[in-house]
Amino acid sequence: AWKRNLLWQGMIWKRIAMVIEAWPVWARTEQMPPTGSWRTWLFLGGRGAGKTRAAAEWVRERMESGHFHHTALIGPTFTDVRDVMIDGPSGLRAVASPGFEPVLEISRRRLVWPHGPTATMFSAEDPDSLRGPQFDTAWGDEFAAWKDPQATLDLLRPAMRVGPDPRVVLSTTPRPVLAVTALLGDTASVVTRGGTAANARYLPQGFIEDLENRWAGSVLARQELDGEIVDDPAGALWSRADLAAARASTVPHDFDRIVVAVDPPASAGGGADSCGVMVVARAQTDAGPIAVVLDDASSQGLLPQDWAARVVDAFHRHAADTVIAEANQGGEMVRSLIQLAGPDVPVRLVHARVGKRVRAEPVAALYARGRVIHAGHYRALEDEMCRFGAPGFTASPDRLDALVWAVSHLLLAHHAPPSARAL
């Protein structure tokens, strides 16, 4: 009887251990497959964010269910498929359930499960190899690093024609390639995101801190750690390299002018434009005056009295001498709102007589000459600057508009704009 009791207890503890170790118990929310009728799941994650594990677990569950039988495994190279997707620490063989361990038949470039399902290996270096086969499941790893991701995906889609529910998961560290950005607007696709820090408990101690220190404030940190797509489109007035060069290691502290520039929104609420609020100072150097961007106090969705209070707060925190406000949206009402929030705040209204790009071009030229520096890393502002002017950019550049007004007032106010007269 006591032997039967011990055996029974052992079986209970084994089942408890299996439940505790089950992937859904300890996976993060973004690592679980999205619900709904999607066809492509795009997982954008930083290095070590757990995206490979999430994709491998999704494939494992489908293969072990007995309902899916034909999988495509696509990596940048065959070596990547074998070493990361199959035999890696988060690969398919590592996550297999007891009794369902697949066997790698390397000569046939396939993985075979005991009950029959197979996964065929493909290299993104040879998209044409996807012609002919057909699948109900596909996993593409490091999609943004493929030689030609769009061409490979275009050949994969017709191959997803087996069974009632063929689906694809694409796991990748994001890069601003067209194939990735196209998926963001695809109604048949879903996107989840995960940063490296979210998976810190499973990474070596000090790993994240080391990379954050090395990449602090850089595009690389946002891409490789935060899992963000940081684009640098052709046609924009600024590039990431321009703004990296503008971030100064040493910032002057002796200023002769400090202004707060505001680009007020026309409305309030969740869908309204942001209220651009930029604090910019002027310093005198041996090479001439320079503008120093000190703060981005912009906000979105605030009521007029609230963004006006934000402007006044920035004015006092930085001991500014003037508020520069664009008057095209509201005119004197803008001045009244700000002075209701701060009666002692002088407000100078400016009127836009030319388009935003025309106003911004002289300021971009000042950046190119090294006459504007940033005292910090202003992520939202820099994103706006690097997209403004590029084809397809339709958002309102509120932070940039405020910046242009401030820099123009400090460095270009005494230069008359170009004009023409009839002869």
Side-chain angles (χ1 to χ4, degrees):
W2 64 270
K3 288 182 179 180
R4 286 197 303 270
N5 191 37
L6 285 177
L7 181 62
W8 178 249
Q9 290 181 17
M11 292 175 63
I12 291 175
W13 282 111
K14 186 176 181 179
R15 289 182 178 275
I16 291 173
M18 289 176 64
V19 171
I20 292 174
E21 294 173 3
W23 171 246
V25 173
W26 55 275
R28 303 192 312 277
T29 302
E30 67 269 20
Q31 290 179 298
M32 296 300 294
T35 57
S37 58
W38 52 269
R39 298 299 298 273
T40 304
W41 172 21
L42 177 64
F43 192 145
L44 301 174
R47 296 292 183 91
K51 55 188 181 295
T52 301
R53 180 63 184 271
E57 291 281 359
W58 178 77
V59 173
R60 175 199 62 76
E61 183 179 0
R62 283 170 74 91
M63 292 299 98
E64 294 179 3
S65 71
H67 301 301
F68 304 94
H69 305 279
H70 305 284
T71 296
L73 301 177
I74 311 165
T77 67
F78 278 117
T79 301
D80 294 315
V81 177
R82 183 192 64 201
D83 293 349
V84 177
M85 302 172 72
I86 294 175
D87 285 335
S90 297
L92 288 168
R93 296 218 283 182
V95 304
S97 301
F100 287 93
E101 296 88 348
V103 175
L104 176 61
E105 297 180 353
I106 192 62
S107 62
R108 302 184 67 179
R109 291 179 174 172
R110 71 177 191 172
L111 196 63
V112 182
W113 276 261
H115 57 301
T118 61
T120 307
M121 302 165 61
F122 294 92
S123 168
E125 295 175 315
D126 182 19
D128 283 339
S129 62
L130 288 163
R131 296 181 185 274
Q134 53 186 8
F135 309 100
D136 52 35
T137 303
W139 171 19
D141 193 41
E142 290 302 344
F143 173 64
W146 292 0
K147 181 179 179 180
D148 190 340
Q150 191 60 59
T152 307
L153 188 58
D154 287 343
L155 287 170
L156 174 63
R157 290 197 190 282
M160 303 302 298
R161 58 181 185 266
V162 178
D165 189 27
R167 296 190 179 196
V168 178
V169 62
L170 300 170
S171 52
T172 187
T173 301
R175 292 170 58 196
V177 297
L178 291 177
V180 174
T181 55
L183 284 173
L184 299 181
D186 185 353
T187 56
S189 301
V190 292
V191 182
T192 57
R193 304 171 188 268
T196 305
N199 208 38
R201 62 183 295 188
Y202 303 109
L203 297 172
Q205 187 174 3
F207 170 78
I208 296 176
E209 291 79 1
D210 177 59
L211 293 184
E212 285 178 339
N213 291 334
R214 293 177 186 275
W215 296 341
S218 69
V219 170
L220 201 59
R222 296 178 60 184
Q223 177 177 286
E224 303 293 324
L225 293 180
D226 297 339
E228 293 185 27
I229 296 178
V230 186
D231 56 347
D232 204 354
L237 290 183
W238 284 268
S239 69
R240 301 285 171 183
D242 295 334
L243 298 179
R247 283 186 224 120
S249 55
T250 57
V251 178
H253 295 286
D254 187 13
F255 304 126
D256 59 9
R257 293 287 310 280
I258 300 176
V259 300
V260 178
V262 54
D263 179 40
S267 58
D273 294 334
S274 295
C275 177
V277 181
M278 300 301 305
V279 182
V280 183
R282 186 176 67 190
Q284 300 296 332
T285 70
D286 294 340
I290 64 170
V292 182
V293 182
L294 298 179
D295 192 14
D296 176 3
S298 306
S299 59
Q300 191 276 331
L302 297 182
L303 295 172
Q305 62 268 26
D306 295 326
W307 62 250
R310 197 174 182 89
V311 171
V312 171
D313 175 70
F315 177 88
H316 289 303
R317 279 191 297 108
H318 292 278
D321 52 79
T322 307
V323 169
I324 309 295
E326 183 176 330
N328 292 55
Q329 300 284 2
E332 284 296 329
M333 186 179 295
V334 175
R335 189 201 305 269
S336 299
L337 282 167
I338 294 172
Q339 292 187 330
L340 277 173
D344 59 331
V345 175
V347 179
R348 176 172 178 169
L349 298 179
V350 290
H351 298 267
R353 295 184 174 86
V354 295
K356 294 177 185 292
R357 185 180 179 103
V358 174
R359 294 201 307 272
E361 284 173 345
V363 174
L366 291 173
Y367 271 85
R369 291 160 54 193
R371 293 189 57 196
V372 184
I373 64 174
H374 290 192
H377 182 203
Y378 308 113
R379 178 177 296 186
L381 169 67
E382 293 183 9
D383 284 350
E384 210 168 79
M385 295 172 75
C386 290
R387 292 169 185 156
F388 177 72
F393 179 82
T394 57
S396 180
D398 310 296
R399 290 173 166 83
L400 173 58
D401 242 11
L403 172 75
V404 166
W405 285 122
V407 174
S408 299
H409 177 76
L410 293 173
L411 298 184
L412 300 172
H414 301 297
H415 299 280
S419 59
R421 61 188 178 90
L423 296 177

